[in-house]
Amino acid sequence: VITHAPLVPAWEKRFQTDARAKIIHHGTHLEGNDLNLEEVEDILEPVPTLSTKNSQPSTDSRPIGRERDIQEVINYRAVMDYLDTLVPSRGTVPERNSRVQLEKGSSADEGTVPTGTHIPLTPSILAEVHRLTVEHILPQDEAGQYRSVKVIIRNTQSHEITFRPPGPFEVPGLIEELFKWLASPEGQEVHPLLRAGILHYELVRIHPFTDGNGRTARAMALLLLFLEGYEVKKFFALEEYYDAHPEEYYSALQSVTISHELTTWLEYFTLGISIEFNRVKSLVHKLSLDLHLKSTIGGRQITLSQRQIKLVEYIERHGEIGMGNVRELLSDVSDDTILRDLRDLVTKNLLIKKGSTKGTKYYLKK
């Protein structure tokens, strides 16, 4: 439905941009970032200068407060950009047995992995995801490196200890076992959605780094979904599902410690995927003006200009549009161009025109 929807090509970039902003906002907000979605979108729009590739701030200059919130957003965008380099080109699906493999001898300090069509999921990728997540936030010798200290997890409200992750000396072995299982025949037999959920939980449980474990775990689970073919044009944001009711997210994770089995967590995880995919499906249906539009336009895919997309968006929000509204919306465009765009949308059976002269209104075709 999503792949073949008539309006998807015109809206694809917008959907992906919105989904990425939601992933970054909700993924950081879930960990206590105070920036709202609009502020995050403002940060993502320009090329930020707070963090640059060649800058190497000292540990004494690590950002705090709002500056840290901004840095977290910049960092998580870098993580999403990195995941993009690891996912095969759109329209291709990696062979099942080459999607998730373990590189022999890989460890958390090996750095990045060369990109290509078939990217193995390895501790090296885990390390790079974490390094990007905490760059300029943690000291350089902690970014992408397994922790060397014991940590405890406390309830943010009651401050009670809710979980004690494994000791630091256990971390390398546990990570190695996890990635070996992912690559094993036994692991490959597990459905990809469940495998992504297990990866997510295990990284949270092992807590391999001093900070940034939640964002790293969610990014790795997302990467596994992408590599397993659950890309769905990158229109979805599981982080929004988690952040809508964070207490349910953390409760589902903690349920494994209480019950000593993964069922409750995996039910929660797969429900979130189902909810997000159905949301995207509904959105695409709506913007395709329901299924009957496809037969109305002869099943062809429609290409719209950026101006036309703005017009359709306006009508989606307000129900109609007149020339006065259009002039405000497209203030730098001549009336002749506006009328040409509107006539084209009518010709494409997307809009209907009612009235004449100054009273003309345009509506989405039902």
Side-chain angles (χ1 to χ4, degrees), residues 90-149:
R90 189 177 297 112
T92 63
V93 179
E95 295 177 6
R96 180 178 175 84
N97 292 332
S98 63
R99 290 177 194 151
V100 184
Q101 301 173 0
L102 178 68
E103 290 182 335
K104 292 183 179 179
S106 61
S107 62
D109 58 357
E110 288 181 341
T112 60
V113 178
T115 60
T117 301
H118 301 307
I119 298 298
L121 197 61
T122 67
S124 300
I125 293 177
L126 171 67
E128 180 65 2
V129 167
H130 181 260
R131 186 190 70 79
L132 293 170
T133 299
V134 300
E135 189 172 27
H136 305 323
I137 293 175
L138 288 184
Q140 291 181 5
D141 59 359
E142 293 182 23
Q145 303 295 322
Y146 297 147
R147 58 183 166 86
S148 59
V149 296

Side-chain angles (χ1 to χ4, degrees), residues 137-278:
I137 293 175
L138 288 184
Q140 291 181 5
D141 59 359
E142 293 182 23
Q145 303 295 322
Y146 297 147
R147 58 183 166 86
S148 59
V149 296
K150 290 183 178 181
V151 294
I152 56 175
I153 310 301
R154 295 181 181 273
N155 184 298
T156 55
Q157 295 181 342
S158 66
H159 301 292
E160 294 179 356
I161 296 175
T162 58
F163 180 63
R164 295 180 184 272
F169 295 109
E170 299 178 73
V171 169
L174 291 171
I175 292 295
E176 182 179 359
E177 288 179 11
L178 173 60
F179 282 91
K180 281 184 177 179
W181 177 82
L182 288 171
S184 70
E186 178 187 1
Q188 290 290 303
E189 289 179 0
V190 176
H191 192 282
L193 299 185
L194 298 180
R195 197 155 70 251
I198 292 170
L199 174 62
H200 185 152
Y201 170 76
E202 281 297 303
L203 290 176
V204 171
R205 180 186 73 85
I206 297 170
H207 216 77
F209 308 105
T210 54
D211 191 17
N213 291 279
R215 280 161 286 166
T216 300
R218 290 188 291 274
M220 290 296 292
L222 180 64
L223 175 59
L224 193 153
L225 289 174
F226 284 170
L227 293 176
E228 290 286 357
Y230 290 88
E231 190 178 1
V232 196
K233 292 185 176 287
K234 299 180 182 175
F235 289 173
F236 65 96
L238 291 175
E239 283 77 1
E240 184 174 15
Y241 166 71
Y242 304 142
D243 196 32
H245 301 285
E247 68 283 355
E248 295 180 7
Y249 171 69
Y250 290 113
S251 177
L253 285 168
Q254 192 176 357
S255 71
V256 184
T257 303
I258 297 172
S259 65
H260 303 290
E261 52 93 23
L262 287 161
T263 301
T264 299
W265 161 250
L266 291 177
E267 286 177 347
Y268 170 86
F269 180 81
T270 52
L271 176 62
I273 294 174
S274 175
I275 288 173
E276 268 299 289
F277 283 12
N278 278 309

